[in-house]
Amino acid sequence: MEIIIHETLRCKTIISDLLEFSREKEPQKTPTNINTVIRKTINMLQNEFSLEHINVTTDLSDEIPDTLLDQNQMQQVFINLMLNAVEAIRDKGAINIISRIDRDRKKIKIEITDDGCGIDPDHVGKLFEPFFTTKPKGTGLGLAVTYRIIRNHKGDIRVSSIPGKGSTFTVEMPLNTDTTLFENQRAAL
């Protein structure tokens, strides 16, 4: 009976992941501060960090203005990246989150770095492919969904990793502070 319950819950997770991946949902963008989304995600996952003895540090730039983003989708991105960092660390480690603004390139840059096990160089190029996973119980959809959300926001994501030392996921989002877009967005609400 215990095996049946466990496998049923595992199937439920796989089906949920498949449904989420199959939905090509257009971002519902509103003026949002990316740092607020990051802080909410950290607060939501605080219990997970505590259970795994993971220290989370942040260096979030106060200069980042509100930009048009889908808050829920971006929170899903940060949940996926932070939970992957937790799994890479396994027990007792650190996650560092940095946000910066690049006004010249009109980009917001977020780096999520962990001191976990790192990623095999042969796997780095496949990370964002649907159904690619190295986890025994993974579906291989978390990073594929993350990639699609970021691309739907006209952003980009990269990873650098050293096996045995850790990984850094870098998310770049367009800095869209056009006040007419904000006003049009507010008028539509």
Side-chain angles (χ1 to χ4, degrees):
M1 187 60 107
E2 188 176 312
I3 293 171
I4 291 171
I5 291 170
H6 175 73
E7 291 302 310
T8 302
L9 292 173
R10 190 173 71 79
C11 287
K12 179 184 177 234
T13 301
I14 292 170
I15 291 169
S16 294
D17 287 348
L18 283 169
L19 288 172
E20 181 65 34
F21 181 73
S22 67
R23 289 186 205 120
E24 184 74 29
K25 192 174 172 191
E26 193 67 30
Q28 302 299 307
K29 297 178 182 178
T30 58
T32 304
N33 191 290
I34 197 86
N35 289 336
T36 302
V37 178
I38 292 169
R39 286 184 188 103
K40 284 182 182 178
T41 306
I42 292 169
N43 286 337
M44 184 186 343
L45 298 176
Q46 196 59 52
N47 191 44
E48 188 78 26
F49 299 140
S50 181
L51 287 171
E52 298 296 330
H53 311 287
I54 294 172
N55 183 39
V56 178
T57 58
T58 60
D59 182 8
L60 306 178
S61 172
D62 293 333
E63 296 180 3
I64 296 177
D66 287 359
T67 190
L68 289 175
L69 300 170
D70 184 314
Q71 290 183 35
N72 292 328
Q73 287 186 6
M74 289 310 298
Q75 187 165 35
Q76 185 63 48
V77 163
F78 295 127
I79 288 170
N80 287 344
L81 293 176
M82 289 182 207
L83 286 179
N84 280 351
V86 168
E87 289 181 23
I89 293 168
R90 293 192 185 103
D91 187 40
K92 293 185 183 169
I95 298 172
N96 187 38
I97 304 165
I98 299 170
S99 69
R100 295 285 178 261
I101 186 168
D102 184 341
R103 290 194 189 279
D104 293 336
R105 292 179 52 226
K106 297 184 179 172
K107 300 274 185 188
I108 298 170
K109 183 177 177 181
I110 301 99
E111 292 181 354
I112 300 175
T113 303
D114 67 67
D115 63 357
C117 61
I119 302 166
D120 185 313
D122 294 336
H123 296 160
V124 171
K126 302 174 190 175
L127 286 179
F128 303 110
E129 293 177 9
F131 307 109
F132 175 79
T133 185
T134 59
K135 301 174 189 172
K137 296 183 181 181
T139 60
L141 292 173
L143 286 176
V145 169
T146 295
Y147 178 82
R148 187 172 68 200
I149 289 170
I150 292 169
R151 298 301 291 176
N152 284 346
H153 279 79
K154 309 292 187 241
D156 194 22
I157 183 169
R158 296 181 309 280
V159 62
S160 61
S161 185
I162 300 172
K165 300 279 186 188
S167 303
T168 298
F169 283 82
T170 303
V171 176
E172 288 187 336
M173 301 300 290
L175 179 62
N176 189 348
T177 58
D178 184 349
T179 56
T180 56
L181 287 174
F182 282 180
E183 291 164 7
N184 292 340
Q185 192 72 18
R186 287 185 185 120
L189 297 176

Tab-separated table of all heavy atoms in Angstrom, residues 103-123:
chain	number	residue	atom	x	y	z
A	103	ARG	N	22.317	49.485	-17.248
A	103	ARG	CA	21.550	50.505	-17.989
A	103	ARG	C	22.008	50.632	-19.434
A	103	ARG	O	21.192	50.888	-20.311
A	103	ARG	CB	21.643	51.849	-17.273
A	103	ARG	CG	20.887	51.865	-15.957
A	103	ARG	CD	20.691	53.275	-15.432
A	103	ARG	NE	20.165	53.267	-14.081
A	103	ARG	CZ	18.884	53.103	-13.773
A	103	ARG	NH1	18.003	52.923	-14.718
A	103	ARG	NH2	18.489	53.114	-12.512
A	104	ASP	N	23.297	50.423	-19.695
A	104	ASP	CA	23.799	50.521	-21.065
A	104	ASP	C	23.140	49.473	-21.969
A	104	ASP	O	22.771	49.760	-23.100
A	104	ASP	CB	25.323	50.349	-21.106
A	104	ASP	CG	26.048	51.491	-20.422
A	104	ASP	OD1	25.467	52.596	-20.328
A	104	ASP	OD2	27.192	51.279	-19.971
A	105	ARG	N	22.997	48.275	-21.458
A	105	ARG	CA	22.381	47.189	-22.239
A	105	ARG	C	20.882	47.078	-21.994
A	105	ARG	O	20.228	46.225	-22.577
A	105	ARG	CB	23.067	45.863	-21.883
A	105	ARG	CG	24.515	45.816	-22.365
A	105	ARG	CD	25.210	44.522	-22.001
A	105	ARG	NE	24.458	43.355	-22.407
A	105	ARG	CZ	24.243	42.303	-21.613
A	105	ARG	NH1	24.707	42.280	-20.383
A	105	ARG	NH2	23.556	41.270	-22.053
A	106	LYS	N	20.353	47.910	-21.091
A	106	LYS	CA	18.934	47.891	-20.728
A	106	LYS	C	18.506	46.488	-20.272
A	106	LYS	O	17.534	45.922	-20.749
A	106	LYS	CB	18.069	48.377	-21.888
A	106	LYS	CG	18.359	49.822	-22.248
A	106	LYS	CD	17.445	50.320	-23.327
A	106	LYS	CE	17.779	51.768	-23.610
A	106	LYS	NZ	17.106	52.303	-24.732
A	107	LYS	N	19.279	45.964	-19.304
A	107	LYS	CA	19.044	44.620	-18.775
A	107	LYS	C	19.093	44.619	-17.259
A	107	LYS	O	19.803	45.408	-16.646
A	107	LYS	CB	20.117	43.640	-19.270
A	107	LYS	CG	20.220	43.478	-20.752
A	107	LYS	CD	19.266	42.450	-21.235
A	107	LYS	CE	19.476	42.229	-22.736
A	107	LYS	NZ	18.463	41.380	-23.289
A	108	ILE	N	18.336	43.695	-16.677
A	108	ILE	CA	18.447	43.361	-15.261
A	108	ILE	C	19.118	41.997	-15.216
A	108	ILE	O	18.715	41.074	-15.937
A	108	ILE	CB	17.065	43.300	-14.580
A	108	ILE	CG1	16.380	44.662	-14.640
A	108	ILE	CG2	17.205	42.814	-13.140
A	108	ILE	CD1	14.922	44.616	-14.202
A	109	LYS	N	20.142	41.877	-14.395
A	109	LYS	CA	20.909	40.629	-14.312
A	109	LYS	C	20.762	40.044	-12.915
A	109	LYS	O	20.991	40.738	-11.927
A	109	LYS	CB	22.366	40.925	-14.622
A	109	LYS	CG	23.270	39.739	-14.647
A	109	LYS	CD	24.670	40.188	-15.052
A	109	LYS	CE	25.650	39.064	-15.039
A	109	LYS	NZ	26.996	39.527	-15.422
A	110	ILE	N	20.369	38.776	-12.841
A	110	ILE	CA	20.234	38.061	-11.574
A	110	ILE	C	21.142	36.838	-11.633
A	110	ILE	O	21.097	36.073	-12.605
A	110	ILE	CB	18.775	37.614	-11.318
A	110	ILE	CG1	17.827	38.820	-11.292
A	110	ILE	CG2	18.668	36.835	-10.016
A	110	ILE	CD1	17.100	39.020	-12.570
A	111	GLU	N	21.961	36.660	-10.611
A	111	GLU	CA	22.821	35.483	-10.520
A	111	GLU	C	22.447	34.687	-9.280
A	111	GLU	O	22.366	35.245	-8.181
A	111	GLU	CB	24.296	35.878	-10.433
A	111	GLU	CG	24.835	36.494	-11.694
A	111	GLU	CD	26.306	36.854	-11.584
A	111	GLU	OE1	26.886	36.727	-10.478
A	111	GLU	OE2	26.877	37.262	-12.602
A	112	ILE	N	22.230	33.396	-9.462
A	112	ILE	CA	21.958	32.479	-8.355
A	112	ILE	C	23.097	31.466	-8.343
A	112	ILE	O	23.239	30.671	-9.270
A	112	ILE	CB	20.586	31.795	-8.510
A	112	ILE	CG1	19.485	32.855	-8.534
A	112	ILE	CG2	20.368	30.769	-7.392
A	112	ILE	CD1	18.102	32.326	-8.810
A	113	THR	N	23.922	31.547	-7.295
A	113	THR	CA	25.122	30.722	-7.196
A	113	THR	C	25.002	29.786	-6.002
A	113	THR	O	24.604	30.205	-4.914
A	113	THR	CB	26.375	31.614	-7.031
A	113	THR	OG1	26.444	32.511	-8.137
A	113	THR	CG2	27.640	30.789	-6.950
A	114	ASP	N	25.359	28.527	-6.222
A	114	ASP	CA	25.385	27.568	-5.112
A	114	ASP	C	26.768	26.944	-5.025
A	114	ASP	O	27.544	26.996	-5.974
A	114	ASP	CB	24.307	26.482	-5.299
A	114	ASP	CG	24.580	25.560	-6.484
A	114	ASP	OD1	25.560	24.795	-6.439
A	114	ASP	OD2	23.813	25.616	-7.468
A	115	ASP	N	27.069	26.375	-3.862
A	115	ASP	CA	28.343	25.679	-3.676
A	115	ASP	C	28.116	24.172	-3.629
A	115	ASP	O	28.766	23.450	-2.895
A	115	ASP	CB	29.074	26.183	-2.426
A	115	ASP	CG	28.308	25.927	-1.139
A	115	ASP	OD1	27.167	25.397	-1.193
A	115	ASP	OD2	28.840	26.256	-0.066
A	116	GLY	N	27.202	23.720	-4.482
A	116	GLY	CA	26.839	22.303	-4.523
A	116	GLY	C	27.776	21.460	-5.367
A	116	GLY	O	28.938	21.813	-5.578
A	117	CYS	N	27.239	20.373	-5.878
A	117	CYS	CA	28.041	19.365	-6.572
A	117	CYS	C	28.480	19.779	-7.966
A	117	CYS	O	29.371	19.164	-8.550
A	117	CYS	CB	27.264	18.057	-6.658
A	117	CYS	SG	25.714	18.178	-7.582
A	118	GLY	N	27.881	20.833	-8.513
A	118	GLY	CA	28.232	21.252	-9.867
A	118	GLY	C	27.549	20.382	-10.903
A	118	GLY	O	26.829	19.438	-10.585
A	119	ILE	N	27.788	20.716	-12.167
A	119	ILE	CA	27.133	20.020	-13.278
A	119	ILE	C	28.198	19.458	-14.200
A	119	ILE	O	29.148	20.155	-14.570
A	119	ILE	CB	26.217	20.998	-14.053
A	119	ILE	CG1	25.167	21.593	-13.111
A	119	ILE	CG2	25.539	20.297	-15.232
A	119	ILE	CD1	24.439	22.795	-13.679
A	120	ASP	N	28.030	18.218	-14.588
A	120	ASP	CA	28.935	17.568	-15.529
A	120	ASP	C	28.972	18.389	-16.820
A	120	ASP	O	27.921	18.744	-17.355
A	120	ASP	CB	28.418	16.153	-15.801
A	120	ASP	CG	29.336	15.340	-16.677
A	120	ASP	OD1	29.795	15.863	-17.723
A	120	ASP	OD2	29.583	14.175	-16.342
A	121	PRO	N	30.157	18.711	-17.333
A	121	PRO	CA	30.248	19.514	-18.560
A	121	PRO	C	29.450	18.936	-19.729
A	121	PRO	O	28.941	19.681	-20.563
A	121	PRO	CB	31.746	19.528	-18.876
A	121	PRO	CG	32.422	19.268	-17.577
A	121	PRO	CD	31.484	18.391	-16.793
A	122	ASP	N	29.323	17.611	-19.796
A	122	ASP	CA	28.541	16.980	-20.868
A	122	ASP	C	27.053	17.268	-20.742
A	122	ASP	O	26.313	17.134	-21.713
A	122	ASP	CB	28.755	15.463	-20.870
A	122	ASP	CG	30.186	15.081	-21.237
A	122	ASP	OD1	30.863	15.896	-21.911
A	122	ASP	OD2	30.616	13.978	-20.851
A	123	HIS	N	26.600	17.647	-19.560
A	123	HIS	CA	25.175	17.884	-19.326
A	123	HIS	C	24.771	19.346	-19.481
A	123	HIS	O	23.595	19.641	-19.663
A	123	HIS	CB	24.785	17.407	-17.931
A	123	HIS	CG	24.941	15.933	-17.746
A	123	HIS	ND1	25.040	15.341	-16.509
A	123	HIS	CD2	25.025	14.914	-18.640
A	123	HIS	CE1	25.172	14.035	-16.646
A	123	HIS	NE2	25.167	13.755	-17.929
